[in-house]
Amino acid sequence: LVTAAGWLHLSPGLLVRVAVLALAIVAAALCAWPRVARSAVALSSATVVAAFGAFEAGYVFERFAEPAMTRVNSVAEARRDWIDAAVPPGSTVGLVPSPLEQSTHWWEAEFWNKDVKRVLRVEGGPTFTPFPADDVSVDFAKGKLNGPQPADFLVVSPKEARFHLVEEAARVADRTPLKLVRVARPYRLEWATRGVSADAWTTPNQEAVLRFYGNGRRARRAIVVVLSTPPEAPTPVRFTFKADGSIRRGSVDPGGARQPIRLAICVPAGGHADVVLIPGGGARVPDGRVLALHFDHLRTLAAGPCASA
């Protein structure tokens, strides 16, 4: 309904009202038709509705229900309602789906936990759920997440490469491959990326920017990055990192990951600091994209105060 309403530039509610009114007019018109014609129209309408229902049921079963209900629990010792068990009763929890995790992980988190009531769709990305989602966007300049902010608890992927939310002091729960965190409103970011796809890939010869935000504290950050390349790459993919006036160069073998790359930057309290990655050539992968480097791992650590000027 939301998609169809968007095509017609209507709200979902208005689309439903218009559709009901149109059906009422058709029904009234049918009353004036001959009985044979009314029967034919009724039979045709019933056939179309039944076919659509069968298609929709098959789609939901194949894409969501069957994988979620038949897959063995990813963590044998973990209860499936681990989110409900970790938050206070009556809490509202939101999912922040990432394509870096299997769709069944997100589906199970929503299906088995009553407190998971909201889903955030980031920059129009996938949600892996048939239910309505709240659209949010990354404010790269200000270091925050714009849009609805419906929950104090969010379920995120530890591999998330688009941004990292500022978490409160203690992580609530951590169940591979997802983690549950408590965040304050407004949703602020520790870091965000530009020029990096939702599934953590960069494009050959195009800059990717990693931006780190001060959020009121001037401090030095240690950054640990692990990169990999497509196995289809014909030669090692070279890269250049620029951070705090220093330059690091290297390369990654096709299909392989290199040792962690460590960088350090000073982030001002009221601003941000950028790390720029310039990848070299890449390769065309089976889905048709031409890709260069993949962020297998991105982590930041406190590294003490910044050096005095």
Side-chain angles (χ1 to χ4, degrees), residues 55-70:
F55 168 79
E56 180 71 7
Y59 170 81
V60 172
F61 179 81
E62 180 181 358
R63 183 168 182 181
F64 299 106
E66 192 274 337
M69 300 301 292
T70 60

Side-chain angles (χ1 to χ4, degrees), residues 70-90:
T70 60
R71 187 176 63 83
V72 176
N73 191 11
S74 56
V75 186
E77 68 276 10
R79 51 190 292 180
R80 291 186 185 270
D81 62 344
W82 61 275
I83 298 172
D84 286 348
V87 301

